[in-house]
Amino acid sequence: MAYMKATFGYLKDHFLRALCFCALPALLLGLVSSPVSLISLLFSKQLDRTVSFSEVFLTGTDLDKPYKLVVMILAFILYAICAAAYVGSVQHKMRYGHFYKINAHNFFRLVNNNFLPVAKGMLSLMLMMEFLGIVTTLFVFFWSKVVAIQAVTIVLCTLSVLLFVGLFLFFASMLILTIPNMTMRGFGLFKSIKLSWMTSIKKFKQVVVPVIVPIVIAYIPLIVVNAFHINVLTQILDVLFYAFALMYYHVLMYVIFFDLENVEVANINENNYWG
């Protein structure tokens, strides 16, 4: 819980700064993609036995409209730019106790220093998410076709989706140190992934709990709203969820990294985030 407390302490003190970095990517993502799109399948007509695999797949991956893929690519590029500046700002604040002065020169310097590590690290996680999503979509489609009893179909599909969500959160936990390993230690992507996995698995409970608990709590209202098909509120909550997830996860990764690597954190003495 110490990591969670430290992360929320940072966000409480620097909320507006964090929001400035994450608002635009969250807005674009929220307009075309839902973090609970696979879960939404359970409340839709996509479990009908007459529906084709392509319909289930496109709905479950938020690609049911041609323009969405273009917007998603633009959102990822914008995200990589903003997140590169964000993680650079976070690590500098934690290491030295102060932020860079806000101006165009410092913004682009942070982007230049961190763009490739952030893009590669998060692309790896997104590819993992898409792979798990495809596998889950296959299971959902399979159950809807071979199981005659609808109640049983819904139960099996629900278990498949929950397994997907659980696996994704597990991988998000195990790979959380990938970006810090690249930005702070200068390692390549695959070595950073390996080190992140080895370090996180040894401190499994310490790492997994602060990743999973806030995300699961934030998921609950999304699931409820999707179940009742409240479209406008759903989109608003999607944007808010993405904004929260981006702000929280990128701070948490450095909180965990600085602690597990025994790097002195200037904020410990200044703001007593660790309590």
Side-chain angles (χ1 to χ4, degrees), residues 75-129:
F76 178 77
I77 295 171
L78 179 61
Y79 154 75
I81 292 171
C82 293
Y86 183 39
V87 301
S89 175
V90 169
Q91 72 181 35
H92 191 273
K93 170 64 175 174
M94 289 188 179
R95 185 68 183 90
Y96 301 108
H98 61 84
F99 289 111
Y100 285 107
K101 183 179 179 180
I102 298 178
N103 56 45
H105 173 74
N106 285 331
F107 177 83
F108 287 111
R109 178 169 68 170
L110 291 171
V111 172
N112 182 63
N113 291 341
N114 300 293
F115 180 82
L116 285 179
V118 168
K120 289 189 290 186
M122 294 311 293
L123 183 59
S124 301
L125 196 59
M126 289 177 67
L127 290 175
M128 177 62 67
M129 179 178 68

Side-chain angles (χ1 to χ4, degrees), residues 89 131 158 199:
S89 175
F131 173 74
T158 301
T199 303

Side-chain angles (χ1 to χ4, degrees), residues 193-214:
I193 289 174
K194 180 181 178 182
L195 288 174
S196 178
W197 187 280
M198 291 171 59
T199 303
S200 299
I201 208 75
K202 290 177 183 176
K203 302 289 184 178
F204 184 80
K205 185 178 179 180
Q206 287 178 261
V207 173
V208 169
V209 171
V211 173
I212 290 181
V213 171

